């Protein structure tokens, strides 16, 4: 199996899927982090105590979709995985060209 070459399309698809899965897992955490950083205090008290509190309040108020409210996958948030795939292919090509 190690000798079998994986096609370019399979590599690109795998890279894209890995990127989308990665962003899907990380985006809610990033949303919570951003809300914690941008929270304004009301009468000296902050809206959220910690990450867990922010996550729970956001989920209760906005639901599952609220955790991805600002996500726009069309912008190419998954592109780092595709970039890694292209980088790997370029390195392989250059290695073959050099001999």
């Amino acid at each position: 199996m190690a000798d079998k070459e994986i096609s370019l399309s399979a590599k690109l698809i795998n890279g894209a899927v890995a990127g989308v899965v990665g962003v899907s897992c990380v985006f809610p955490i990033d949303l919570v982090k951003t809300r914690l950083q941008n929270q304004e205090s009301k009468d000296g008290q902050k809206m959220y105590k910690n990450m867990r509190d922010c996550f729970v309040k956001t989920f209760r108020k906005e639901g599952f979709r609220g955790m991805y409210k600002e996500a726009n996958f069309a912008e190419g948030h998954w592109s780092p995985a595709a970039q890694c795939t292209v980088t790997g292919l370029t390195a392989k090509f250059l290695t073959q060209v050099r001999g």
Side-chain angles (χ1 to χ4, degrees):
M1 178 105 183
D3 295 340
K4 187 175 179 184
E5 183 67 29
I6 299 172
S7 69
L8 173 62
S9 60
K11 289 179 183 179
L12 290 174
I13 291 169
N14 287 337
V17 170
V20 169
V21 170
V23 169
S24 298
C25 295
V26 172
F27 199 86
I29 296 168
D30 189 54
L31 177 81
V32 167
K33 175 201 60 109
T34 302
R35 288 189 177 187
L36 281 169
Q37 289 173 331
N38 295 332
Q39 70 180 322
E40 295 180 15
S41 59
K42 296 179 180 178
D43 301 330
Q45 292 187 348
K46 299 200 176 208
M47 293 173 59
Y48 310 109
K49 299 175 197 170
N50 52 40
M51 281 190 78
R52 183 180 183 279
D53 183 50
C54 181
F55 184 88
V56 170
K57 285 180 179 177
T58 301
F59 190 79
R60 284 184 181 158
K61 183 178 180 184
E62 301 176 33
F64 180 77
R65 285 187 166 188
M67 301 309 292
Y68 296 92
K69 185 166 137 182
E70 298 164 15
N72 185 354
F73 293 104
E75 288 180 5
H77 286 120
W78 52 269
S79 65
Q83 290 171 356
C84 288
T85 301
V86 171
T87 301
L89 292 172
T90 303
K92 182 177 179 182
F93 172 76
L94 292 174
T95 302
Q96 290 174 347
V97 168
R98 284 178 153 187

